[in-house]
Amino acid sequence: MFEVYIDGASAGNPGPSGAGIFIKGEGEVFRYSIPLGVMSNHEAEYHAFIKALEICLDKGFKVVSFRTDSQLVNAAVEKEFVKNKLYAPLLEKALMLASQFDLFFMKWIPSSENKSADDLARKAVRDNNMKGTEN
């Protein structure tokens, strides 16, 4: 099983944003810091989730346990529903990707337990700022 820690960050709401993804399992560790362009913090959280799902599928992982400090994303995945229609297409894409695993879990964790993903997301925001926001 692979443990996947995800976080989205935004410098402003909306503002330059980034995704942080930290994956560990089977003796391996993977770190991703992905600039996302300009979006809200909640959008960045969903995009971090989607990018992490895509990475895990590309690597051929079959059993994944996701950890997020985003109560919004965690609740949306649990209920398979979002109140804000802006996030509906993002949730739909994420659920479609998550359904491709043999086993998929998601758990909310406090931000104090998500430091690796948070650091990677903040780095992505900085990288985004250095490159501009043409994404």
Side-chain angles (χ1 to χ4, degrees):
M1 176 184 297
F2 287 87
E3 290 183 8
V4 184
Y5 294 79
I6 58 170
D7 199 14
S10 182
N13 208 15
S17 301
I21 302 162
F22 179 81
I23 304 170
K24 66 180 181 177
E26 298 182 6
E28 296 185 272
V29 173
F30 305 93
R31 293 176 180 85
Y32 300 89
S33 185
I34 304 166
L36 297 173
V38 174
M39 60 183 63
S40 73
N41 187 64
H42 289 320
E43 287 174 294
E45 295 281 6
Y46 277 103
H47 282 278
F49 181 34
I50 290 167
K51 296 276 189 194
L53 288 164
E54 291 171 341
I55 289 166
C56 290
L57 287 168
D58 286 347
K59 291 191 169 294
F61 300 163
K62 298 292 183 198
V63 179
V64 293
S65 180
F66 274 62
R67 310 285 200 274
T68 180
D69 59 14
S70 171
Q71 292 179 338
L72 179 85
V73 171
N74 188 63
V77 170
E78 279 183 6
K79 296 174 185 171
E80 297 185 4
F81 175 80
V82 289
K83 287 182 186 175
N84 186 331
K85 298 301 176 205
L86 175 68
Y87 308 132
L90 297 172
L91 177 62
E92 185 179 327
K93 181 173 184 177
L95 292 174
M96 183 273 302
L97 291 167
S99 73
Q100 297 177 47
F101 294 97
D102 290 348
L103 282 173
F104 168 84
F105 303 96
M106 179 172 266
K107 177 183 175 183
W108 178 84
I109 58 172
S111 51
S112 61
E113 294 178 23
N114 205 26
K115 183 134 176 55
S116 293
D118 180 67
D119 289 346
L120 291 164
R122 291 176 188 276
K123 179 185 180 308
V125 169
R126 288 191 303 274
D127 291 348
N128 203 19
N129 283 332
M130 291 188 324
K131 293 177 183 170
T133 54
E134 65 275 353
N135 292 2

